[in-house]
């Protein structure tokens, strides 16, 4: 198992050396794959009204997609990429008088939310019917962000349940690493039309 992990790590380093996007070279495996996943959705995101929930200090989303879409970033703390300081639990209030979003991004957010179901319902409320939710979440990762909370590692069955309970249809769920004990999940879901 250790040898296989080492081989995978070496392969990613080799891929990064031949990759044209130098930004991908500077990150670890998870961030590299997250960027690749989001880049695979570039045509889908382009020209859309996009909300990045829990943007945090990571500015890559703004740098990469900011000029291609109508992007608004929200976080509970002031960061360079945050347009709005606020909580995912108050999206209905913050965006009650605006047009709905076509896409909501939540990368590395849900492990830090004590009430995932309420957060998903808030996101559902600001998405246009048929709108898309894009999530990344770690599974096999050390505790992190304990000063603001690190609560969950949600399984694929857990994601299926939470999405169904909050009015979403799961479109795709992929994982990084081993299927039964992955490093992370990458999820795309669609707001069901009523």
């Amino acid at each position: 198992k250790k040898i296989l992990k080492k081989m995978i790590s070496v392969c990613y380093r080799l891929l990064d050396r031949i990759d044209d996007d130098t930004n991908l070279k500077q990150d670890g495996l998870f961030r590299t794959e997250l960027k690749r996943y989001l880049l695979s959705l570039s045509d889908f995101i382009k020209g859309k009204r996009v909300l990045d929930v829990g943007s945090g200090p990571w500015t890559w989303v703004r740098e990469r997609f900011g000029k291609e879409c109508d992007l608004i970033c929200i976080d509970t703390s002031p960061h360079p990429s945050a347009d709005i300081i606020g909580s995912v639990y108050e999206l209905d209030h913050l965006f009650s008088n605006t047009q709905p979003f076509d896409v909501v991004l939540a990368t590395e957010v849900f492990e830090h939310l004590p009430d995932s179901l309420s957060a998903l319902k808030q996101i559902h409320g600001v998405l246009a019917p048929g709108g898309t939710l894009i999530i990344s979440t770690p599974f096999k990762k050390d505790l992190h962000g304990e000063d603001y909370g690190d609560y969950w590692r949600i399984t694929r069955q857990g994601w299926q349940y939470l999405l169904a309970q909050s009015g979403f249809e799961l479109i795709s769920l992929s994982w990084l690493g081993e299927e039964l004990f992955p490093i992370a999940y990458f999820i795309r879901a669609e707001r069901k039309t009523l």
Side-chain angles (χ1 to χ4, degrees):
K1 203 172 190 180
K2 287 181 181 180
I3 292 171
L4 181 58
K5 286 181 182 180
K6 183 69 173 172
M7 288 174 61
I8 290 170
S9 177
V10 168
C11 287
Y12 274 102
R13 276 191 245 131
L14 289 172
L15 281 172
D16 284 344
R17 286 189 181 158
I18 61 172
D19 199 313
D20 291 333
D21 188 344
T22 56
N23 287 331
L24 291 179
K25 296 177 192 176
Q26 299 169 3
D27 290 311
L29 176 62
F30 175 71
R31 276 288 165 96
T32 298
E33 284 306 304
L34 173 57
K35 287 179 179 182
R36 288 182 202 278
Y37 178 69
L38 293 174
L39 287 170
S40 75
L41 299 170
S42 290
D43 289 340
F44 180 75
I45 293 171
K46 190 181 288 186
K48 301 280 178 46
R49 181 166 160 77
V50 179
L51 178 64
D52 185 2
V53 174
S55 57
W58 194 41
T59 59
W60 185 84
V61 170
R62 178 169 298 290
E63 292 163 2
R64 176 59 183 85
F65 296 109
K67 294 180 181 172
E68 296 182 2
C69 64
D70 178 13
L71 177 66
I72 296 175
C73 298
I74 182 173
D75 198 87
T76 56
S77 301
H79 293 289
S81 66
D83 300 305
I84 297 172
I85 307 306
S87 167
V88 68
Y89 300 116
E90 57 185 0
L91 294 180
D92 58 350
H93 171 71
L94 291 169
F95 298 104
S96 62
N97 295 320
T98 65
Q99 68 183 68
F101 291 92
D102 303 303
V103 177
V104 172
L105 300 174
T107 57
E108 301 173 70
V109 171
F110 277 91
E111 71 271 23
H112 301 295
L113 299 176
D115 189 350
S116 298
L117 190 55
S118 291
L120 285 166
K121 288 179 180 179
Q122 286 286 315
I123 290 169
H124 184 276
V126 298
L127 265 174
T132 300
L133 171 60
I134 298 168
I135 298 170
S136 71
T137 187
F139 191 77
K140 189 187 327 181
K141 183 172 180 157
D142 294 340
L143 288 173
H144 62 285
E146 290 184 83
D147 53 327
Y148 52 90
D150 187 358
Y151 301 100
W152 316 109
R153 298 298 181 264
I154 303 170
T155 66
R156 63 183 178 196
Q157 292 86 1
W159 276 116
Q160 291 167 349
Y161 174 81
L162 287 168
L163 292 167
Q165 292 298 306
S166 54
F168 286 96
E169 178 181 349
L170 180 63
I171 303 299
S172 66
L173 185 147
S174 57
W175 51 88
L176 174 60
E178 305 167 53
E179 180 180 358
L180 298 180
F181 193 36
I183 295 167
Y185 287 110
F186 302 116
I187 299 158
R188 190 161 61 117
E190 186 175 286
R191 180 186 173 193
K192 292 180 187 175
T193 54
L194 302 175

